[in-house]
Amino acid sequence: MSELQVDGLHGLDHSAGLEPWVDPGPPSSASSASSASSACSDPSTSSSLLAPQDPVPVAAPTATPRPVDDSSAEATAEPAARRGAVDPVKALMHRHRELCERAVDPLEIAAGLEAHGVTDRTAARFRHRDVFSLAEEMYARVPRDGEESTQREPMPHAPGARGGWAVLALLPGALCAAAVVGVRLTDGPSRLVIAAVGALAVAFGLRVAIDRGPLRTPSGTTSRTRTWTCWLIAYALLGDGLLTAGLDDGPHGPWPLATAPVLALTLACAPATWCAHLLSVRARRRLAASRGLAEFSDSVKPLILGVFALHLCALAALLALSGRVVEEPPGYAGAGALGALLLLARLLIARGFTHAPAVALRAAALTEAVALATAFASRLPACSYLAVPVEAVVAAWGPGAVPALVCGTAALVLLVHATRTLTRASAHAQSPGAA
């Protein structure tokens, strides 16, 4: 009875199409062998195992697609792209925020960027062809109160640049001429008094004329060079006579004063100021017309050399005139080199380049002082060799060769330095002395 019940259940399972439960674990070798043998002995079981099973169909969920609005998709993607992208010009404006806010012209921004090391190649990274176009975009994007003007505003001028600086430039020469006339017409103690008063008047006239013109310097910078400048001018007045007396075991009385070079140098204050104004005006025009830093540098370098040569020609003419009026040697070499040195130093200092002029003036003044000191120190026992270099120079070219060599070398160094610094846009973006 029990066997019939089991066989009936077995047949019921096969008739219903149910498969026997299989252990998912790996079968042992014995169980696999017994199952294989039983499958071979029962043909119905083997046929049911080998028969392919029909896959059970699964109904996939269906969804009705909604139409997509292209305009709304683009409007959503565009702000996302803008938020994801970085604005390099805005970052540059944030870095130079103070420069952009105080600039009244795009040229000032371009010069400021150039002073901070931004070149045309750097501007190409911001998708601009040069620094000037980058500066124009930065200037246009600076937030300002009210409506912005579409035209460029004129760059600011130095206070007093349009006033009477051209007339004040004649003041030092006029005061020096009056002092020279007073010294030549007097004698004795009154001559010394007139000479001292005249020197103070000339110094005052120089300060007034220079501080109100294109050669005015930033506050606090003239103190570094004023002492050395006064020494160089004093040497032009007294140095040649004192050096000659020192080499000749003198002085045996009052040494002669070289009034002609000093008179020419004070008269040359006017053409020096006018040349500086010419350089400033022409450089600003070329800065506005240039579309690249290299283009501006190439265009302003001949201008610097031309202005320098023009001043030398004017100084040579004044030296010839002064020498003929006072009937003294004009001293072209020494006074010409000193005038060139003073002009280049003042041009550089007025535009904020103070280190090189201070070093050049100090080196020239100390070298002249050493030349005088060795001339008098050679009188000491066993020290005659100290004056050998100075004696050789004086014997070959005269006492005026010492300031000519010293000041000429310093002027040449400053000229090379000026052709590298004054050709930058940052040197002409602001008025001289405004920095």
Side-chain angles (χ1 to χ4, degrees):
M1 183 66 180
S2 59
E3 294 177 1
L4 292 175
Q5 290 178 352
V6 172
D7 292 338
L9 291 175
H10 183 72
L12 180 62
D13 292 341
H14 283 284
S15 63
L18 299 178
E19 293 295 329
W21 178 80
V22 181
D23 189 4
S28 59
S29 58
S31 61
S32 59
S34 61
S35 60
S37 60
S38 61
C40 293
S41 60
D42 193 354
S44 61
T45 304
S46 60
S47 61
S48 64
L49 289 177
L50 296 177
Q53 301 293 329
D54 296 334
V56 179
V58 180
T62 59
T64 304
R66 291 182 299 174
V68 180
D69 189 2
D70 296 338
S71 60
S72 61
E74 293 178 359
T76 306
E78 186 175 357
R82 290 180 179 177
R83 289 194 300 266
V86 179
D87 189 356
V89 178
K90 186 176 181 180
L92 187 65
M93 292 177 60
H94 180 72
R95 187 182 308 171
H96 303 282
R97 180 178 58 184
E98 184 179 356
L99 172 64
C100 297
E101 291 177 352
R102 72 166 184 247
V104 297
D105 191 90
L107 298 181
E108 290 191 13
I109 299 180
L113 293 177
E114 188 261 351
H116 286 85
V118 179
T119 61
D120 293 338
R121 181 177 299 180
T122 309
R125 302 176 184 175
F126 298 92
R127 297 182 179 180
H128 286 273
R129 65 179 181 273
D130 49 41
V131 177
F132 292 92
S133 60
L134 176 60
E136 288 177 352
E137 179 183 351
M138 295 174 65
Y139 179 77
R141 295 175 61 176
V142 173
R144 293 179 176 86
D145 297 334
E147 297 182 356
E148 297 183 5
S149 175
T150 57
Q151 297 180 356
R152 285 183 174 181
E153 300 178 2
M155 298 185 67
H157 295 274
R162 292 184 178 180
W165 62 266
V167 179
L168 289 176
L170 300 172
L171 183 60
L175 293 175
C176 186
V180 169
V181 172
V183 169
R184 294 177 70 89
L185 294 179
T186 57
D187 197 0
S190 58
R191 183 180 184 182
L192 296 177
V193 174
I194 292 177
V197 173
L200 294 176
V202 170
F204 175 77
L206 283 172
R207 184 169 184 177
V208 170
I210 293 178
D211 289 346
R212 284 167 175 78
L215 288 176
R216 76 185 191 97
T217 60
S219 58
T221 57
T222 55
S223 58
R224 300 176 56 187
T225 59
R226 186 175 299 163
T227 303
W228 311 116
T229 302
C230 292
W231 168 262
L232 292 172
I233 295 177
Y235 188 92
L237 179 64
L238 307 171
D240 291 347
L242 189 60
L243 182 63
T244 303
L247 294 177
D248 294 341
D249 297 333
H252 303 289
W255 58 89
L257 302 178
T259 56
V262 177
L263 178 60
L265 288 173
T266 53
L267 290 173
C269 179
T273 306
W274 299 335
C275 288
H277 178 69
L278 177 64
L279 174 62
S280 179
V281 172
R282 294 295 179 88
R284 287 165 184 258
R285 290 179 182 176
R286 298 188 180 185
L287 180 60
S290 300
R291 299 310 307 169
L293 297 177
E295 178 184 351
F296 173 75
S297 178
D298 295 338
S299 64
V300 80
K301 187 177 296 184
L303 177 62
I304 296 174
L305 298 177
V307 168
F308 178 70
L310 180 62
H311 176 260
L312 287 184
C313 293
L315 180 58
L318 291 174
L319 284 171
L321 179 63
S322 301
R324 178 164 296 188
V325 169
V326 300
E327 297 179 351
E328 290 181 4
Y332 291 106
L338 177 58
L341 174 61
L342 294 178
L343 174 68
L344 292 172
R346 198 70 183 188
L347 285 176
L348 289 170
I349 294 175
R351 284 158 177 82
F353 305 100
T354 59
H355 180 69
V359 172
L361 293 175
R362 180 169 60 247
L366 292 178
T367 304
E368 291 181 349
V370 169
L372 285 177
T374 54
F376 285 95
S378 62
R379 300 180 183 181
L380 298 175
C383 293
S384 58
Y385 64 91
L386 294 177
V388 171
V390 179
E391 288 179 350
V393 172
V394 172
W397 299 294
V402 174
L405 291 176
V406 173
C407 296
T409 303
L412 182 60
V413 173
L414 285 188
L415 180 61
V416 175
H417 182 68
T419 55
R420 299 180 59 184
T421 56
L422 297 184
T423 54
R424 300 176 184 175
S426 56
H428 306 277
Q430 297 179 351
S431 300

